[in-house]
Amino acid sequence: MSFFAGEPDRLAQFRAGDRDVLSDVYRHYVGPLSRVLRQGFSVTTPERVLHVPGLSSLHEIECAGQEVFLRAFQPKARLGYDGVRSFGNYLFRIARNFRIDEFRRRGLVVSGIPVEDLNVPDAILPVDQQLVSNELDAMIKAFLSIVPERDRRYMGLRFEGGLAQTDAAAELGLTRIQGRRIEARMKLGLLSYLRERGYRGGRS
Amino acid sequence: MSCSDSDRGRVDRAVTEGLESGEWRALRGHLSACAACASEYEDASLAVSQLEGHAFEPTDSAREALLYDLLSALEGKAAHASLLHGTDVTAPTSLWRSAALVASLGVVLVGVGAVLVGPGLGRSDDPVSESGLTARGATEASAGFSVFCLRPEDGSATVIDAAESGGGRAAACRQHDRLQFTYSVDARLTHIGSLALVALGPDGERAWYWPRPDETLPVSSGARQVALPGSFELLDRHQPGRWTILGIFAPASLSRAEVEAHLSGPELSDDHPESWLTTRAVVIVSDDVVGGHE
């Protein structure tokens, strides 16, 4: 369902470039867009199927995603979105065209590209990424098992319970600032913990 | 080559609690030039995003920083905050391919200059003279370029300074640094198809970047901060002093002779010929005293 389905006011604000609505759209779609950019695209032409490979590094993905959002949020693009079609697919088409443009700049000819919709990528990670994720998950669990109870509970409320900082902190009788400090300390602590154990992400 | 402790600290703060805007942008530029720190960023982002429940996606703090940059760009606060991805840019070597990434990021000058200026190298606030050409101001410019001064270090390159054509400040570089360029062309300028870049030295000497003898530089309207291939070392012929880099956007490929004729014309102006657009940036080149390349 479109982010704007049944929300005519939101659509009008989006078209007007309302900062809060643009922020909501960004936060809603940055994850799926990142997945699309990571997995790449397949484009069927009359002659062949062309695979535009995905980007491998998160830094590259963030840079590309920024450009895609910038294009999608331009006034002309905002007005060009009808609010009926899936905004995700609209965004992913921009992403695909952006990547194809890059290939064209390199002199690779891509012609006859159809305009079929792209689907929101599955939340299931590819096998290799799933393995990395599983290993990392085990290490994170081990890390959380040795931190203070209050901090562990806060992190559970935040990221398993999906609560905002303010709400997670309030559950524990803390202020948002205190919650934020716990969160920063825990994240930095996790990075130190992982490095001490030779963690290298997905790299050998 | 490894990521320094201070850079790693910045990476960690970027993915955990977030950085101030200028420091964030400087870090983004550095990540494009430094493979070691980019790997650190990758690892740290993966760990933190997994902890946050959305592995392989930007961390919460990175999302907010990117969103801030995005909104700033949309609102025109940062004319070159467009973070055009440039991994496919062709460049002579991997070192300079990395540097091309930096350029393609369109790093905001304030962020670059404030954080990455090396020891012994002051920022140049030398205003661009308005004599000679009538440079198009940033707000008026419909086509322009940015020049980045890169310094090779330990197999990588660091952005030292940068300047925008039509901007108000010059970039400070040393001999044997390298220059790299990005360009932007308003989508309405559909007639623009090529770019020539040439620098005029303190004594009027020329340094040609584009066209090369056997290569022209096609450009596209609608491009934003697209990195040009390759980089150019500030060899000894770039004598110390003020170098004005002219960017001439034209409908078709220009030969050096055509550009030279344009430069030597009796009344050089931005709009001569009518369909050409000329804009410029200034680089202040200093002696390579500290660098020890002699």
Side-chain angles (χ1 to χ4, degrees), chain A residues 19 27 35 58-60 62-63 66-67 102 133 187 195 199 203, chain B residues 12 28 41-43 50 52 57 64 66 75 82-83 85 87 224:
Chain A
R19 188 184 176 95
R27 293 187 180 108
R35 293 201 294 275
L58 187 56
H59 178 56
E60 292 175 346
E62 289 174 356
C63 291
Q66 201 76 341
E67 182 64 23
E102 286 189 319
S133 182
K187 288 175 178 174
R195 287 189 181 118
Y199 162 74
R203 297 174 294 126
Chain B
D12 287 357
R28 304 291 296 174
Y41 183 79
E42 191 76 13
D43 291 350
Q50 174 100 6
E52 293 171 340
E57 297 171 11
E64 292 307 306
L66 290 164
E75 292 167 1
S82 164
L83 297 178
H85 165 67
T87 49
R224 285 196 305 274

PDB file of all heavy atoms in Angstrom, chain A residues 19 27 35 58-60 62-63 66-67 102 133 187 195 199 203, chain B residues 12 28 41-43 50 52 57 64 66 75 82-83 85 87 224:
ATOM      1  N   ARG A  19       8.550  19.893   5.203  1.00  0.00           N
ATOM      2  CA  ARG A  19       9.764  19.282   5.742  1.00  0.00           C
ATOM      3  C   ARG A  19       9.466  18.033   6.576  1.00  0.00           C
ATOM      4  O   ARG A  19      10.169  17.021   6.479  1.00  0.00           O
ATOM      5  CB  ARG A  19      10.486  20.336   6.587  1.00  0.00           C
ATOM      6  CG  ARG A  19      11.854  19.935   7.067  1.00  0.00           C
ATOM      7  CD  ARG A  19      12.434  21.012   7.973  1.00  0.00           C
ATOM      8  NE  ARG A  19      13.723  20.593   8.518  1.00  0.00           N
ATOM      9  CZ  ARG A  19      14.881  20.904   7.998  1.00  0.00           C
ATOM     10  NH1 ARG A  19      14.926  21.661   6.931  1.00  0.00           N
ATOM     11  NH2 ARG A  19      15.995  20.467   8.548  1.00  0.00           N
ATOM     12  N   ARG A  27      12.362   8.482   6.233  1.00  0.00           N
ATOM     13  CA  ARG A  27      12.566   7.463   7.278  1.00  0.00           C
ATOM     14  C   ARG A  27      11.836   6.162   6.926  1.00  0.00           C
ATOM     15  O   ARG A  27      12.295   5.074   7.263  1.00  0.00           O
ATOM     16  CB  ARG A  27      12.086   8.002   8.632  1.00  0.00           C
ATOM     17  CG  ARG A  27      12.944   9.148   9.151  1.00  0.00           C
ATOM     18  CD  ARG A  27      12.552   9.549  10.561  1.00  0.00           C
ATOM     19  NE  ARG A  27      13.371  10.652  11.041  1.00  0.00           N
ATOM     20  CZ  ARG A  27      12.928  11.902  11.200  1.00  0.00           C
ATOM     21  NH1 ARG A  27      11.668  12.202  10.942  1.00  0.00           N
ATOM     22  NH2 ARG A  27      13.734  12.852  11.633  1.00  0.00           N
ATOM     23  N   ARG A  35      18.127  -1.614   0.626  1.00  0.00           N
ATOM     24  CA  ARG A  35      18.136  -3.032   0.226  1.00  0.00           C
ATOM     25  C   ARG A  35      18.122  -3.155  -1.293  1.00  0.00           C
ATOM     26  O   ARG A  35      18.809  -4.000  -1.871  1.00  0.00           O
ATOM     27  CB  ARG A  35      16.936  -3.757   0.842  1.00  0.00           C
ATOM     28  CG  ARG A  35      17.017  -3.855   2.350  1.00  0.00           C
ATOM     29  CD  ARG A  35      16.136  -4.973   2.896  1.00  0.00           C
ATOM     30  NE  ARG A  35      14.717  -4.759   2.709  1.00  0.00           N
ATOM     31  CZ  ARG A  35      13.944  -4.048   3.536  1.00  0.00           C
ATOM     32  NH1 ARG A  35      14.467  -3.495   4.606  1.00  0.00           N
ATOM     33  NH2 ARG A  35      12.648  -3.911   3.306  1.00  0.00           N
ATOM     34  N   LEU A  58      28.204  -0.004   2.447  1.00  0.00           N
ATOM     35  CA  LEU A  58      27.132   0.827   2.985  1.00  0.00           C
ATOM     36  C   LEU A  58      27.369   2.298   2.674  1.00  0.00           C
ATOM     37  O   LEU A  58      26.419   3.054   2.434  1.00  0.00           O
ATOM     38  CB  LEU A  58      27.021   0.620   4.498  1.00  0.00           C
ATOM     39  CG  LEU A  58      25.826   1.294   5.168  1.00  0.00           C
ATOM     40  CD1 LEU A  58      24.523   0.869   4.525  1.00  0.00           C
ATOM     41  CD2 LEU A  58      25.797   0.969   6.642  1.00  0.00           C
ATOM     42  N   HIS A  59      28.630   2.693   2.655  1.00  0.00           N
ATOM     43  CA  HIS A  59      28.933   4.085   2.331  1.00  0.00           C
ATOM     44  C   HIS A  59      28.456   4.413   0.917  1.00  0.00           C
ATOM     45  O   HIS A  59      27.837   5.457   0.684  1.00  0.00           O
ATOM     46  CB  HIS A  59      30.437   4.319   2.466  1.00  0.00           C
ATOM     47  CG  HIS A  59      30.873   5.701   2.103  1.00  0.00           C
ATOM     48  ND1 HIS A  59      30.348   6.814   2.690  1.00  0.00           N
ATOM     49  CD2 HIS A  59      31.779   6.137   1.195  1.00  0.00           C
ATOM     50  CE1 HIS A  59      30.912   7.895   2.157  1.00  0.00           C
ATOM     51  NE2 HIS A  59      31.781   7.509   1.250  1.00  0.00           N
ATOM     52  N   GLU A  60      28.724   3.521  -0.024  1.00  0.00           N
ATOM     53  CA  GLU A  60      28.253   3.729  -1.396  1.00  0.00           C
ATOM     54  C   GLU A  60      26.733   3.760  -1.447  1.00  0.00           C
ATOM     55  O   GLU A  60      26.132   4.563  -2.160  1.00  0.00           O
ATOM     56  CB  GLU A  60      28.773   2.620  -2.305  1.00  0.00           C
ATOM     57  CG  GLU A  60      30.264   2.640  -2.545  1.00  0.00           C
ATOM     58  CD  GLU A  60      30.722   1.433  -3.361  1.00  0.00           C
ATOM     59  OE1 GLU A  60      29.942   0.475  -3.505  1.00  0.00           O
ATOM     60  OE2 GLU A  60      31.854   1.462  -3.835  1.00  0.00           O
ATOM     61  N   GLU A  62      24.694   4.573   0.903  1.00  0.00           N
ATOM     62  CA  GLU A  62      24.190   5.817   1.498  1.00  0.00           C
ATOM     63  C   GLU A  62      24.313   6.982   0.511  1.00  0.00           C
ATOM     64  O   GLU A  62      23.411   7.812   0.405  1.00  0.00           O
ATOM     65  CB  GLU A  62      24.938   6.114   2.793  1.00  0.00           C
ATOM     66  CG  GLU A  62      24.576   5.167   3.928  1.00  0.00           C
ATOM     67  CD  GLU A  62      25.422   5.356   5.168  1.00  0.00           C
ATOM     68  OE1 GLU A  62      26.356   6.186   5.149  1.00  0.00           O
ATOM     69  OE2 GLU A  62      25.161   4.660   6.169  1.00  0.00           O
ATOM     70  N   CYS A  63      25.434   7.023  -0.194  1.00  0.00           N
ATOM     71  CA  CYS A  63      25.629   8.104  -1.173  1.00  0.00           C
ATOM     72  C   CYS A  63      24.601   7.994  -2.304  1.00  0.00           C
ATOM     73  O   CYS A  63      23.986   8.993  -2.705  1.00  0.00           O
ATOM     74  CB  CYS A  63      27.043   8.049  -1.752  1.00  0.00           C
ATOM     75  SG  CYS A  63      28.342   8.468  -0.587  1.00  0.00           S
ATOM     76  N   GLN A  66      21.130   8.867  -1.149  1.00  0.00           N
ATOM     77  CA  GLN A  66      20.974  10.311  -0.998  1.00  0.00           C
ATOM     78  C   GLN A  66      20.611  10.954  -2.332  1.00  0.00           C
ATOM     79  O   GLN A  66      19.736  11.811  -2.408  1.00  0.00           O
ATOM     80  CB  GLN A  66      22.292  10.891  -0.456  1.00  0.00           C
ATOM     81  CG  GLN A  66      22.157  12.219   0.209  1.00  0.00           C
ATOM     82  CD  GLN A  66      21.557  12.106   1.600  1.00  0.00           C
ATOM     83  OE1 GLN A  66      20.929  11.121   1.965  1.00  0.00           O
ATOM     84  NE2 GLN A  66      21.729  13.136   2.401  1.00  0.00           N
ATOM     85  N   GLU A  67      21.282  10.502  -3.368  1.00  0.00           N
ATOM     86  CA  GLU A  67      21.008  11.065  -4.687  1.00  0.00           C
ATOM     87  C   GLU A  67      19.607  10.702  -5.159  1.00  0.00           C
ATOM     88  O   GLU A  67      18.906  11.516  -5.756  1.00  0.00           O
ATOM     89  CB  GLU A  67      22.056  10.567  -5.687  1.00  0.00           C
ATOM     90  CG  GLU A  67      21.904  11.119  -7.089  1.00  0.00           C
ATOM     91  CD  GLU A  67      22.106  12.623  -7.169  1.00  0.00           C
ATOM     92  OE1 GLU A  67      22.773  13.179  -6.259  1.00  0.00           O
ATOM     93  OE2 GLU A  67      21.608  13.239  -8.114  1.00  0.00           O
ATOM     94  N   GLU A 102      24.443   5.826 -14.466  1.00  0.00           N
ATOM     95  CA  GLU A 102      25.867   5.671 -14.150  1.00  0.00           C
ATOM     96  C   GLU A 102      26.539   4.749 -15.158  1.00  0.00           C
ATOM     97  O   GLU A 102      27.653   5.003 -15.605  1.00  0.00           O
ATOM     98  CB  GLU A 102      26.023   5.095 -12.740  1.00  0.00           C
ATOM     99  CG  GLU A 102      25.736   6.081 -11.652  1.00  0.00           C
ATOM    100  CD  GLU A 102      26.115   5.511 -10.313  1.00  0.00           C
ATOM    101  OE1 GLU A 102      25.863   4.325 -10.057  1.00  0.00           O
ATOM    102  OE2 GLU A 102      26.676   6.250  -9.515  1.00  0.00           O
ATOM    103  N   SER A 133      24.935 -11.959   9.441  1.00  0.00           N
ATOM    104  CA  SER A 133      23.981 -11.431  10.411  1.00  0.00           C
ATOM    105  C   SER A 133      23.814 -12.385  11.590  1.00  0.00           C
ATOM    106  O   SER A 133      23.746 -11.968  12.745  1.00  0.00           O
ATOM    107  CB  SER A 133      22.642 -11.187   9.704  1.00  0.00           C
ATOM    108  OG  SER A 133      21.706 -10.635  10.596  1.00  0.00           O
ATOM    109  N   LYS A 187      26.226   1.248  22.388  1.00  0.00           N
ATOM    110  CA  LYS A 187      26.674   1.053  21.010  1.00  0.00           C
ATOM    111  C   LYS A 187      28.198   1.123  20.917  1.00  0.00           C
ATOM    112  O   LYS A 187      28.833   0.303  20.246  1.00  0.00           O
ATOM    113  CB  LYS A 187      26.035   2.103  20.091  1.00  0.00           C
ATOM    114  CG  LYS A 187      24.548   1.863  19.871  1.00  0.00           C
ATOM    115  CD  LYS A 187      23.922   2.995  19.064  1.00  0.00           C
ATOM    116  CE  LYS A 187      22.445   2.736  18.786  1.00  0.00           C
ATOM    117  NZ  LYS A 187      21.779   3.877  18.119  1.00  0.00           N
ATOM    118  N   ARG A 195      35.518  -5.567  18.469  1.00  0.00           N
ATOM    119  CA  ARG A 195      36.901  -5.432  17.985  1.00  0.00           C
ATOM    120  C   ARG A 195      37.859  -6.266  18.828  1.00  0.00           C
ATOM    121  O   ARG A 195      38.824  -6.845  18.312  1.00  0.00           O
ATOM    122  CB  ARG A 195      37.315  -3.964  18.001  1.00  0.00           C
ATOM    123  CG  ARG A 195      36.640  -3.160  16.889  1.00  0.00           C
ATOM    124  CD  ARG A 195      37.218  -1.764  16.768  1.00  0.00           C
ATOM    125  NE  ARG A 195      36.515  -1.029  15.709  1.00  0.00           N
ATOM    126  CZ  ARG A 195      35.810   0.078  15.910  1.00  0.00           C
ATOM    127  NH1 ARG A 195      35.720   0.604  17.125  1.00  0.00           N
ATOM    128  NH2 ARG A 195      35.187   0.663  14.915  1.00  0.00           N
ATOM    129  N   TYR A 199      36.309  -9.006  15.458  1.00  0.00           N
ATOM    130  CA  TYR A 199      35.194  -8.874  14.510  1.00  0.00           C
ATOM    131  C   TYR A 199      35.617  -8.055  13.298  1.00  0.00           C
ATOM    132  O   TYR A 199      36.206  -7.003  13.428  1.00  0.00           O
ATOM    133  CB  TYR A 199      34.018  -8.203  15.215  1.00  0.00           C
ATOM    134  CG  TYR A 199      32.985  -7.611  14.272  1.00  0.00           C
ATOM    135  CD1 TYR A 199      32.108  -8.432  13.580  1.00  0.00           C
ATOM    136  CD2 TYR A 199      32.888  -6.234  14.092  1.00  0.00           C
ATOM    137  CE1 TYR A 199      31.154  -7.899  12.724  1.00  0.00           C
ATOM    138  CE2 TYR A 199      31.936  -5.681  13.235  1.00  0.00           C
ATOM    139  CZ  TYR A 199      31.081  -6.525  12.554  1.00  0.00           C
ATOM    140  OH  TYR A 199      30.153  -5.992  11.718  1.00  0.00           O
ATOM    141  N   ARG A 203      33.974  -9.295   6.269  1.00  0.00           N
ATOM    142  CA  ARG A 203      35.244  -9.422   5.559  1.00  0.00           C
ATOM    143  C   ARG A 203      36.099 -10.493   6.200  1.00  0.00           C
ATOM    144  O   ARG A 203      36.049 -10.695   7.402  1.00  0.00           O
ATOM    145  CB  ARG A 203      35.982  -8.081   5.572  1.00  0.00           C
ATOM    146  CG  ARG A 203      35.216  -6.989   4.852  1.00  0.00           C
ATOM    147  CD  ARG A 203      35.876  -5.653   5.003  1.00  0.00           C
ATOM    148  NE  ARG A 203      35.857  -5.187   6.382  1.00  0.00           N
ATOM    149  CZ  ARG A 203      36.927  -4.820   7.043  1.00  0.00           C
ATOM    150  NH1 ARG A 203      38.092  -4.885   6.493  1.00  0.00           N
ATOM    151  NH2 ARG A 203      36.823  -4.378   8.278  1.00  0.00           N
TER     152      ARG A 203
ATOM    153  N   ASP B  12      33.123   5.758  14.813  1.00  0.00           N
ATOM    154  CA  ASP B  12      32.286   5.191  15.879  1.00  0.00           C
ATOM    155  C   ASP B  12      31.214   6.178  16.312  1.00  0.00           C
ATOM    156  O   ASP B  12      30.052   5.804  16.509  1.00  0.00           O
ATOM    157  CB  ASP B  12      33.157   4.802  17.084  1.00  0.00           C
ATOM    158  CG  ASP B  12      33.977   3.556  16.804  1.00  0.00           C
ATOM    159  OD1 ASP B  12      33.821   2.972  15.705  1.00  0.00           O
ATOM    160  OD2 ASP B  12      34.779   3.170  17.671  1.00  0.00           O
ATOM    161  N   ARG B  28      32.453  11.926   5.665  1.00  0.00           N
ATOM    162  CA  ARG B  28      31.985  11.303   4.422  1.00  0.00           C
ATOM    163  C   ARG B  28      33.033  11.447   3.319  1.00  0.00           C
ATOM    164  O   ARG B  28      33.286  10.509   2.570  1.00  0.00           O
ATOM    165  CB  ARG B  28      30.682  11.942   3.957  1.00  0.00           C
ATOM    166  CG  ARG B  28      29.548  11.921   4.951  1.00  0.00           C
ATOM    167  CD  ARG B  28      28.977  10.585   5.219  1.00  0.00           C
ATOM    168  NE  ARG B  28      28.352   9.990   4.050  1.00  0.00           N
ATOM    169  CZ  ARG B  28      27.888   8.741   4.044  1.00  0.00           C
ATOM    170  NH1 ARG B  28      28.007   7.978   5.108  1.00  0.00           N
ATOM    171  NH2 ARG B  28      27.327   8.250   2.967  1.00  0.00           N
ATOM    172  N   TYR B  41      34.017   1.874   8.869  1.00  0.00           N
ATOM    173  CA  TYR B  41      32.642   2.388   8.849  1.00  0.00           C
ATOM    174  C   TYR B  41      31.659   1.270   8.514  1.00  0.00           C
ATOM    175  O   TYR B  41      30.593   1.152   9.117  1.00  0.00           O
ATOM    176  CB  TYR B  41      32.521   3.511   7.814  1.00  0.00           C
ATOM    177  CG  TYR B  41      31.158   4.164   7.759  1.00  0.00           C
ATOM    178  CD1 TYR B  41      30.778   5.117   8.696  1.00  0.00           C
ATOM    179  CD2 TYR B  41      30.239   3.816   6.773  1.00  0.00           C
ATOM    180  CE1 TYR B  41      29.520   5.704   8.655  1.00  0.00           C
ATOM    181  CE2 TYR B  41      28.982   4.403   6.722  1.00  0.00           C
ATOM    182  CZ  TYR B  41      28.630   5.351   7.659  1.00  0.00           C
ATOM    183  OH  TYR B  41      27.383   5.925   7.618  1.00  0.00           O
ATOM    184  N   GLU B  42      32.053   0.443   7.565  1.00  0.00           N
ATOM    185  CA  GLU B  42      31.200  -0.674   7.157  1.00  0.00           C
ATOM    186  C   GLU B  42      30.962  -1.616   8.335  1.00  0.00           C
ATOM    187  O   GLU B  42      29.826  -1.989   8.631  1.00  0.00           O
ATOM    188  CB  GLU B  42      31.885  -1.416   6.007  1.00  0.00           C
ATOM    189  CG  GLU B  42      31.019  -2.419   5.301  1.00  0.00           C
ATOM    190  CD  GLU B  42      30.012  -1.742   4.375  1.00  0.00           C
ATOM    191  OE1 GLU B  42      30.165  -0.542   4.111  1.00  0.00           O
ATOM    192  OE2 GLU B  42      29.078  -2.433   3.950  1.00  0.00           O
ATOM    193  N   ASP B  43      32.050  -1.982   8.995  1.00  0.00           N
ATOM    194  CA  ASP B  43      31.928  -2.922  10.117  1.00  0.00           C
ATOM    195  C   ASP B  43      31.096  -2.329  11.248  1.00  0.00           C
ATOM    196  O   ASP B  43      30.221  -2.991  11.813  1.00  0.00           O
ATOM    197  CB  ASP B  43      33.325  -3.267  10.656  1.00  0.00           C
ATOM    198  CG  ASP B  43      34.123  -4.094   9.664  1.00  0.00           C
ATOM    199  OD1 ASP B  43      33.530  -4.554   8.664  1.00  0.00           O
ATOM    200  OD2 ASP B  43      35.332  -4.267   9.890  1.00  0.00           O
ATOM    201  N   GLN B  50      22.644  -3.818  13.099  1.00  0.00           N
ATOM    202  CA  GLN B  50      22.105  -5.118  13.552  1.00  0.00           C
ATOM    203  C   GLN B  50      21.534  -4.982  14.961  1.00  0.00           C
ATOM    204  O   GLN B  50      20.456  -5.489  15.257  1.00  0.00           O
ATOM    205  CB  GLN B  50      23.225  -6.163  13.543  1.00  0.00           C
ATOM    206  CG  GLN B  50      22.827  -7.499  14.133  1.00  0.00           C
ATOM    207  CD  GLN B  50      22.488  -8.546  13.074  1.00  0.00           C
ATOM    208  OE1 GLN B  50      22.653  -8.295  11.880  1.00  0.00           O
ATOM    209  NE2 GLN B  50      21.997  -9.690  13.502  1.00  0.00           N
ATOM    210  N   GLU B  52      20.311  -2.387  16.171  1.00  0.00           N
ATOM    211  CA  GLU B  52      19.096  -1.581  16.056  1.00  0.00           C
ATOM    212  C   GLU B  52      17.962  -2.333  15.356  1.00  0.00           C
ATOM    213  O   GLU B  52      16.839  -1.818  15.262  1.00  0.00           O
ATOM    214  CB  GLU B  52      19.398  -0.286  15.287  1.00  0.00           C
ATOM    215  CG  GLU B  52      20.327   0.656  16.047  1.00  0.00           C
ATOM    216  CD  GLU B  52      20.798   1.843  15.212  1.00  0.00           C
ATOM    217  OE1 GLU B  52      20.722   1.757  13.962  1.00  0.00           O
ATOM    218  OE2 GLU B  52      21.260   2.835  15.798  1.00  0.00           O
ATOM    219  N   GLU B  57      21.598  -1.811   6.695  1.00  0.00           N
ATOM    220  CA  GLU B  57      21.009  -0.517   6.326  1.00  0.00           C
ATOM    221  C   GLU B  57      21.706   0.575   7.135  1.00  0.00           C
ATOM    222  O   GLU B  57      22.360   0.275   8.131  1.00  0.00           O
ATOM    223  CB  GLU B  57      19.507  -0.504   6.631  1.00  0.00           C
ATOM    224  CG  GLU B  57      18.713  -1.521   5.823  1.00  0.00           C
ATOM    225  CD  GLU B  57      17.274  -1.621   6.304  1.00  0.00           C
ATOM    226  OE1 GLU B  57      16.853  -0.753   7.106  1.00  0.00           O
ATOM    227  OE2 GLU B  57      16.590  -2.563   5.890  1.00  0.00           O
ATOM    228  N   GLU B  64      19.695  10.025  10.298  1.00  0.00           N
ATOM    229  CA  GLU B  64      19.328  11.391  10.664  1.00  0.00           C
ATOM    230  C   GLU B  64      20.281  12.410  10.053  1.00  0.00           C
ATOM    231  O   GLU B  64      19.877  13.484   9.615  1.00  0.00           O
ATOM    232  CB  GLU B  64      19.269  11.528  12.182  1.00  0.00           C
ATOM    233  CG  GLU B  64      18.126  10.733  12.817  1.00  0.00           C
ATOM    234  CD  GLU B  64      16.764  11.047  12.173  1.00  0.00           C
ATOM    235  OE1 GLU B  64      16.397  12.231  12.103  1.00  0.00           O
ATOM    236  OE2 GLU B  64      16.080  10.107  11.728  1.00  0.00           O
ATOM    237  N   LEU B  66      22.063  11.994   7.300  1.00  0.00           N
ATOM    238  CA  LEU B  66      21.806  12.023   5.856  1.00  0.00           C
ATOM    239  C   LEU B  66      20.533  12.802   5.552  1.00  0.00           C
ATOM    240  O   LEU B  66      20.469  13.564   4.579  1.00  0.00           O
ATOM    241  CB  LEU B  66      21.687  10.588   5.317  1.00  0.00           C
ATOM    242  CG  LEU B  66      22.992   9.782   5.286  1.00  0.00           C
ATOM    243  CD1 LEU B  66      22.701   8.294   5.124  1.00  0.00           C
ATOM    244  CD2 LEU B  66      23.901  10.263   4.168  1.00  0.00           C
ATOM    245  N   GLU B  75      16.669  22.673   0.428  1.00  0.00           N
ATOM    246  CA  GLU B  75      16.330  24.048   0.791  1.00  0.00           C
ATOM    247  C   GLU B  75      17.389  25.034   0.330  1.00  0.00           C
ATOM    248  O   GLU B  75      17.315  26.225   0.627  1.00  0.00           O
ATOM    249  CB  GLU B  75      16.139  24.142   2.307  1.00  0.00           C
ATOM    250  CG  GLU B  75      14.898  23.374   2.770  1.00  0.00           C
ATOM    251  CD  GLU B  75      14.865  23.186   4.276  1.00  0.00           C
ATOM    252  OE1 GLU B  75      15.792  23.662   4.961  1.00  0.00           O
ATOM    253  OE2 GLU B  75      13.915  22.556   4.756  1.00  0.00           O
ATOM    254  N   SER B  82      24.596  17.671  -2.699  1.00  0.00           N
ATOM    255  CA  SER B  82      24.181  16.488  -3.438  1.00  0.00           C
ATOM    256  C   SER B  82      25.246  15.417  -3.303  1.00  0.00           C
ATOM    257  O   SER B  82      26.396  15.626  -3.618  1.00  0.00           O
ATOM    258  CB  SER B  82      24.009  16.851  -4.907  1.00  0.00           C
ATOM    259  OG  SER B  82      23.964  15.691  -5.695  1.00  0.00           O
ATOM    260  N   LEU B  83      24.859  14.301  -2.810  1.00  0.00           N
ATOM    261  CA  LEU B  83      25.834  13.242  -2.593  1.00  0.00           C
ATOM    262  C   LEU B  83      25.768  12.267  -3.747  1.00  0.00           C
ATOM    263  O   LEU B  83      25.364  11.133  -3.608  1.00  0.00           O
ATOM    264  CB  LEU B  83      25.547  12.537  -1.268  1.00  0.00           C
ATOM    265  CG  LEU B  83      25.675  13.433  -0.049  1.00  0.00           C
ATOM    266  CD1 LEU B  83      25.324  12.667   1.204  1.00  0.00           C
ATOM    267  CD2 LEU B  83      27.076  13.965   0.053  1.00  0.00           C
ATOM    268  N   HIS B  85      26.513   9.569  -5.991  1.00  0.00           N
ATOM    269  CA  HIS B  85      27.328   8.373  -5.885  1.00  0.00           C
ATOM    270  C   HIS B  85      28.223   8.273  -7.112  1.00  0.00           C
ATOM    271  O   HIS B  85      27.772   8.475  -8.215  1.00  0.00           O
ATOM    272  CB  HIS B  85      26.395   7.180  -5.802  1.00  0.00           C
ATOM    273  CG  HIS B  85      27.058   5.893  -6.047  1.00  0.00           C
ATOM    274  ND1 HIS B  85      27.986   5.384  -5.187  1.00  0.00           N
ATOM    275  CD2 HIS B  85      26.946   5.019  -7.065  1.00  0.00           C
ATOM    276  CE1 HIS B  85      28.401   4.223  -5.654  1.00  0.00           C
ATOM    277  NE2 HIS B  85      27.793   3.983  -6.785  1.00  0.00           N
ATOM    278  N   THR B  87      30.842   5.606  -7.750  1.00  0.00           N
ATOM    279  CA  THR B  87      31.756   4.469  -7.717  1.00  0.00           C
ATOM    280  C   THR B  87      32.147   3.998  -9.104  1.00  0.00           C
ATOM    281  O   THR B  87      33.106   3.283  -9.250  1.00  0.00           O
ATOM    282  CB  THR B  87      31.110   3.292  -6.996  1.00  0.00           C
ATOM    283  OG1 THR B  87      29.810   3.097  -7.548  1.00  0.00           O
ATOM    284  CG2 THR B  87      30.999   3.564  -5.529  1.00  0.00           C
ATOM    285  N   ARG B 224      24.718  16.717 -11.764  1.00  0.00           N
ATOM    286  CA  ARG B 224      25.013  17.431 -10.520  1.00  0.00           C
ATOM    287  C   ARG B 224      26.230  16.805  -9.864  1.00  0.00           C
ATOM    288  O   ARG B 224      26.218  15.634  -9.500  1.00  0.00           O
ATOM    289  CB  ARG B 224      23.827  17.359  -9.555  1.00  0.00           C
ATOM    290  CG  ARG B 224      22.676  18.244  -9.908  1.00  0.00           C
ATOM    291  CD  ARG B 224      21.737  18.398  -8.707  1.00  0.00           C
ATOM    292  NE  ARG B 224      21.294  17.113  -8.220  1.00  0.00           N
ATOM    293  CZ  ARG B 224      20.243  16.450  -8.715  1.00  0.00           C
ATOM    294  NH1 ARG B 224      19.561  16.954  -9.696  1.00  0.00           N
ATOM    295  NH2 ARG B 224      19.889  15.293  -8.215  1.00  0.00           N
TER     296      ARG B 224
END
